[in-house]
């Protein structure tokens, strides 16, 4: 099996070399590393080129800055020639046995479409921050009830899609691998309208009527840095709103009444949170658009009063700014 590793890169000169080395040090060698340079203005492209000239498995694609990892990942997916797709951000790393263990998992469990594994969180200097993330939260999130032990793996036993949808389970993009021939090529592509959480949305799509195989072992690291995209709370809330709306009306599955009501409550919460932040930042157009959407989902008197307050506050804050 050949693995295609897809890695968007934007101004990652401080970390990109470590990422490339972590891939080259894999015990499984049948891979291609597709790096999409998304308009970097630092030395990232030069660093990648240095390694590309010495290793034919490294493919560098340059493009104008899109501002969205989803667009860069889709470029990589279309270029990929591997049997398995996996993803890696430019400031994250793989542990040496990751690819070998992912390939073994797919070979040992024929018909499985998606494999995930645990990971460590590290800081900007590469220091490990605590224990593995998913296993540490296994009981707290009640994920244990959704899986059964099977040999060296955990296999989902219920509708994991609905659980992910209701609980916003966060599998970092560097923890998921996909058997590409089990999916139509279009469903593999990420939603390019989303700036954040496009990976969570994609995992939900892929898990409709499919089981998830989980390797209970950290096989990658996620770097938690101050410059992370997810530090912008308004953008994160807007992404969550888009995510819940998209899946409320998803053509992939018919949701039951309880799930629909749960999603509508989440939408209402995200709308109120986004309104508060947009208003505080003086984003009057965004505040107005969100207000109209809130009225659509929840035209209650208390919400109308909040809408008036938020819109007046947005105008005032814009004038002050």
């Amino acid at each position: 099996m050949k693995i295609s590793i897809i890695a968007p890169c934007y101004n990652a000169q401080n970390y990109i070399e470590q990422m490339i080395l972590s891939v080259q040090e894999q015990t499984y060698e049948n891979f291609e590393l597709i790096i999409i340079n998304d308009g970097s203005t630092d030395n990232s492209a030069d660093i990648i080129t240095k390694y590309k000239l010495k290793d034919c498995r490294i493919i560098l694609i340059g493009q104008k800055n899109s501002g969205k990892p989803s667009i860069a990942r889709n470029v990589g997916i279309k270029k990929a020639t591997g049997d398995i797709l996996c993803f890696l951000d430019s400031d994250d790393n793989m542990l040496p046995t990751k690819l070998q263990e992912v390939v073994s998992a797919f070979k040992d469990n024929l018909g499985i479409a998606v494999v995930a594994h645990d990971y460590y969180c590290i800081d900007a200097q590469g220091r490990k921050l605590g224990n593995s993330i998913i296993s540490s939260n296994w009981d707290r999130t009640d994920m244990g009830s959704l899986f059964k032990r099977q040999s060296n793996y955990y296999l989902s036993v219920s509708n994991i899609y609905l659980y992910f949808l209701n609980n916003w389970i966060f599998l970092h993009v560097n923890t998921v691998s996909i058997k590409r021939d089990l999916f139509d090529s279009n469903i593999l592509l990420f939603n390019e309208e989303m700036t954040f959480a496009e990976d969570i949305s994609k995992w939900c799509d892929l898990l409709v009527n499919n089981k998830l195989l989980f390797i209970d072992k950290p096989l990658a690291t996620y770097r938690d840095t101050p410059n992370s995209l997810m530090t912008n709370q308004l953008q994160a809330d807007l992404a969550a709103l888009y995510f819940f709306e998209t899946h409320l009306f998803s053509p992939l599955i018919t949701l039951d009444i309880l799930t629909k009501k749960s999603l509508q409550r989440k939408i209402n919460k995200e709308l109120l949170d986004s309104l508060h932040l947009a208003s505080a930042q003086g984003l009057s157009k965004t505040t107005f658009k969100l207000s109209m959407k809130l009225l659509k989902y929840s035209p209650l008197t208390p919400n109308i009063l909040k809408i008036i307050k938020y819109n007046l506050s947005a105008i005032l804050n814009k004038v002050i700014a």
Side-chain angles (χ1 to χ4, degrees):
M1 287 184 174
K2 181 179 179 180
I3 301 183
S4 295
I5 305 158
I6 298 163
C9 173
Y10 175 70
N11 287 354
Q13 64 180 15
N14 293 332
Y15 306 114
I16 189 69
E17 188 167 21
Q18 297 175 41
M19 184 274 280
I20 294 173
L21 289 172
S22 78
V23 175
Q24 288 184 319
E25 291 168 357
Q26 291 295 300
T27 56
Y28 189 84
E29 298 181 347
N30 187 14
F31 66 80
E32 60 181 2
L33 172 59
I34 304 172
I35 304 176
I36 303 91
N37 180 28
D38 195 31
S40 295
T41 56
D42 64 0
N43 293 323
S44 294
D46 292 337
I47 296 170
I48 299 165
T49 299
K50 180 181 71 172
Y51 283 91
K52 175 182 178 295
L53 293 174
K54 298 178 182 179
D55 191 339
C56 63
R57 298 172 299 179
I58 298 175
I59 300 167
L60 174 59
I61 300 173
Q63 63 181 31
K64 292 182 179 180
N65 179 246
S66 66
K68 294 181 179 180
S70 54
I71 293 177
R73 289 190 187 115
N74 284 345
V75 170
I77 290 172
K78 293 173 183 177
K79 179 72 174 179
T81 61
D83 307 294
I84 298 170
L85 301 178
C86 65
F87 306 90
L88 193 61
D89 285 342
S90 55
D91 57 351
D92 297 336
N93 299 318
M94 292 181 173
L95 299 186
T97 62
K98 168 175 171 155
L99 298 185
Q100 183 65 65
E101 300 209 36
V102 166
V103 169
S104 296
F106 278 117
K107 287 183 175 179
D108 292 345
N109 299 272
L110 299 179
I112 291 297
V114 183
V115 168
H117 58 74
D118 213 335
Y119 65 100
Y120 290 120
C121 192
I122 60 176
D123 65 13
Q125 288 71 44
R127 295 172 297 205
K128 189 167 66 175
L129 303 174
N131 298 320
S132 54
I133 304 299
I134 298 174
S135 295
S136 300
N137 297 328
W138 190 272
D139 292 331
R140 183 177 61 80
T141 58
D142 196 37
M143 283 185 67
S145 63
L146 300 172
F147 292 83
K148 67 177 180 180
R149 183 81 179 186
Q150 181 171 303
S151 183
N152 298 319
Y153 314 104
Y154 285 94
L155 182 65
S156 61
V157 294
S158 59
N159 195 331
I160 199 76
Y161 167 83
L162 292 178
Y163 190 81
F164 270 51
L165 198 57
N166 281 307
N167 294 278
W168 188 277
I169 297 299
F170 195 78
L171 292 176
H172 275 293
V173 69
N174 65 0
T175 70
V176 177
S177 300
I178 304 163
K179 189 76 174 301
R180 69 181 301 170
D181 65 355
L182 296 181
F183 294 101
D184 178 87
S185 59
N186 288 328
I187 199 175
L188 293 173
L189 299 177
F190 288 83
N191 187 332
E192 296 184 356
E193 296 299 317
M194 300 182 71
T195 304
F196 300 102
E198 74 285 346
D199 49 345
I200 306 175
S201 184
K202 180 48 56 183
W203 310 153
C204 283
D205 291 343
L206 297 180
L207 290 171
V208 172
N209 299 321
N210 284 302
K211 292 185 181 296
L212 172 67
L213 193 74
F214 179 68
I215 304 173
D216 187 19
K217 182 187 296 185
L219 295 175
T221 62
Y222 166 76
R223 195 180 303 270
D224 188 7
T225 64
N227 295 323
S228 171
L229 280 176
M230 290 305 292
T231 57
N232 187 326
Q233 189 57 53
L234 174 58
Q235 292 300 317
D237 286 342
L238 290 174
L241 172 62
Y242 189 90
F243 168 81
F244 290 129
E245 284 190 294
T246 298
H247 287 275
L248 177 62
F249 302 108
S250 172
L252 298 175
I253 189 171
T254 301
L255 300 176
D256 58 73
I257 297 298
L258 289 177
T259 300
K260 285 184 177 180
K261 287 183 176 179
S262 174
L263 287 180
Q264 288 170 337
R265 287 193 297 270
K266 294 177 190 298
I267 288 170
N268 192 68
K269 179 183 181 303
E270 295 299 342
L271 277 167
L272 289 172
D273 288 347
S274 299
L275 270 169
H276 173 74
L277 292 170
S279 173
Q281 295 176 33
L283 302 174
S284 54
K285 289 184 179 180
T286 301
T287 303
F288 179 76
K289 289 180 180 179
L290 291 170
S291 298
M292 294 302 98
K293 189 165 287 190
L294 181 60
L295 285 176
K296 169 187 172 183
Y297 285 108
S298 186
L300 303 175
T301 300
N303 284 338
I304 294 174
L305 295 176
K306 289 177 183 177
I307 284 170
I308 294 172
K309 182 188 76 172
Y310 282 133
N311 278 273
L312 289 175
S313 178
I315 294 170
L316 180 61
N317 288 327
K318 184 176 182 179
V319 171
I320 294 173

